[in-house]
Amino acid sequence: EAGVTQFPSHSVIEKGQTVTLRCDPISGHDNLYWYRRVMGKEIKFLLHFVKESKQDESGMPNNRFLAERTGGTYSTLKVQPAELEDSGVYFCASSQEGTSGRAAYNEQFFGPGTRLTVL
Amino acid sequence: AQSVTQLDSHVSVSEGTPVLLRCNYSSSYSPSLFWYVQHPNKGLQLLLKYTSAATLVKGINGFEAEFKKSETSFHLTKPSAHMSDAAEYFCVVSDRAGNTGKLIFGQGTTLQVKP
């Protein structure tokens, strides 16, 4: 069974440009999460989808970040326009169960991350 | 609010000696706690999880963690380190307050294993 995949693995862009990160979760996983690790800091939650719906986007830094999950399958995270402080590693994770009451107990499977560098 | 604190940013051990990675948590609820590991250029992998069953949790690759409510700790141990254990380890609590399952990470501990 394929794991969580992310594309691209690395992205280097200039400040002010747009970048789109993609995450393909494990097939059948309703829950999809985005996390980010800025250098020197801990990994932080960005947002959570249940199928195609945003369940919690309390971790999104600002309105330059837009996440979508088309048809409840893959997800994209767009940064527009990118700023220097957006540099970091963006992780995607997925887990089973659509009922939020069970989500807290379920293992999240992580992708390898996308390393974003904004120059 | 829930949080975790990993008490050491770096731990260095010799191969064959015990490993201890320390983690303290804070939670208003009975917590769900996890240890994840990240090897270089790889994704995070679950080592073990505690979800209010047995307090001593066994994970993969010989790792264990013990949930101690009185000490609010969830330290990760392994009796004998192997070179392949060199990686970054994260203590994690699941946010049950919002019931979304979002994970709250500690700062990470880098484990170095010397030959």
Side-chain angles (χ1 to χ4, degrees), chain A residues 66-84:
Chain A
L66 175 64
E68 294 179 324
R69 189 177 183 193
T70 306
T73 55
Y74 70 91
S75 174
T76 57
L77 180 64
K78 180 191 287 188
V79 185
Q80 179 182 31
E83 298 288 345
L84 299 179

Side-chain angles (χ1 to χ4, degrees), chain A residues 11 41 43 56 71 81 91 118:
Chain A
S11 180
K41 302 286 182 104
I43 298 170
D56 179 359
F91 293 101
V118 183

Side-chain angles (χ1 to χ4, degrees), chain A residues 3-118:
Chain A
V4 177
T5 57
Q6 293 186 246
F7 182 83
S9 58
H10 294 82
S11 180
V12 180
I13 61 172
E14 306 244 330
K15 175 182 170 180
Q17 289 185 321
T18 297
V19 63
T20 300
L21 313 181
R22 174 171 169 144
C23 168
D24 286 81
I26 293 172
S27 178
H29 280 192
D30 289 337
N31 293 295
L32 187 148
Y33 303 83
W34 284 98
Y35 296 87
R36 177 175 75 169
R37 190 178 197 188
V38 172
M39 190 163 58
K41 302 286 182 104
E42 64 269 28
I43 298 170
K44 287 201 168 176
F45 167 83
L46 294 178
L47 85 158
H48 170 215
F49 285 98
V50 177
K51 297 183 181 178
E52 68 277 7
S53 300
K54 291 177 187 174
Q55 193 77 5
D56 179 359
E57 50 185 333
S58 61
M60 294 286 262
N62 50 60
N63 59 11
R64 295 185 294 102
F65 288 75
L66 175 64
E68 294 179 324
R69 189 177 183 193
T70 306
T73 55
Y74 70 91
S75 174
T76 57
L77 180 64
K78 180 191 287 188
V79 185
Q80 179 182 31
E83 298 288 345
L84 299 179
E85 64 264 26
D86 301 332
S87 296
V89 181
Y90 290 75
F91 293 101
C92 175
S94 70
S95 70
Q96 292 180 314
E97 301 292 339
T99 51
S100 59
R102 292 285 304 277
Y105 298 91
N106 296 332
E107 176 183 356
Q108 293 183 24
F109 295 84
F110 281 79
T114 293
R115 182 174 296 277
L116 174 65
T117 302
V118 183

Side-chain angles (χ1 to χ4, degrees), chain B residues 6 11 13 34 38 54 71 77-79 90 96 100 103 110 115:
Chain B
Q6 292 182 243
V11 170
V13 301
F34 307 80
Q38 186 182 23
E71 299 176 10
T77 61
K78 183 174 181 177
F90 297 93
R96 293 181 56 193
T100 67
L103 301 180
T110 298

